[in-house]
Amino acid sequence: MKKDIHPENYRLVAFKDMSNDDVFLTKSTANTKETIEVDGVEYPVVKLEISRTSHPFYTGKSKLIDTAGRIDKFKNKYAKFKKPVVAVEPTEEKE
């Protein structure tokens, strides 16, 4: 095998799902400046918007996660094109 081809900073890193505060540890070379304490030990932390504990494919639940307000921005942008709904009263039948 070739020598000196593996990264030097391969270590345990905590990944935190920000939508449900789930934290899991795995080995990674991801660069991060923040740390978190898990079971009394401090680890570098990488923040995730979605992980296996919150993704609808893995949970089996359809969940709406809108971290950036994209849905509200879309609705506000296209509200001017919305057609007004006109209520139609039923007419009486003539005999």
Side-chain angles (χ1 to χ4, degrees), residues 30-78:
N31 292 326
T32 181
K33 294 179 182 178
E34 297 180 53
T35 60
I36 190 172
E37 189 172 315
V38 178
D39 297 331
V41 181
E42 198 165 296
Y43 297 101
V45 65
V46 175
K47 295 179 180 178
L48 306 171
E49 288 187 28
I50 196 162
S51 71
R52 69 182 192 278
T53 59
S54 61
H55 194 281
F57 180 80
Y58 297 107
T59 61
K61 298 176 186 173
S62 180
K63 193 187 235 184
L64 180 62
I65 299 173
D66 184 25
T67 57
R70 293 178 287 226
I71 294 172
D72 291 332
K73 285 170 61 176
F74 177 84
K75 286 181 180 179
N76 291 337
K77 183 176 181 180
Y78 292 100

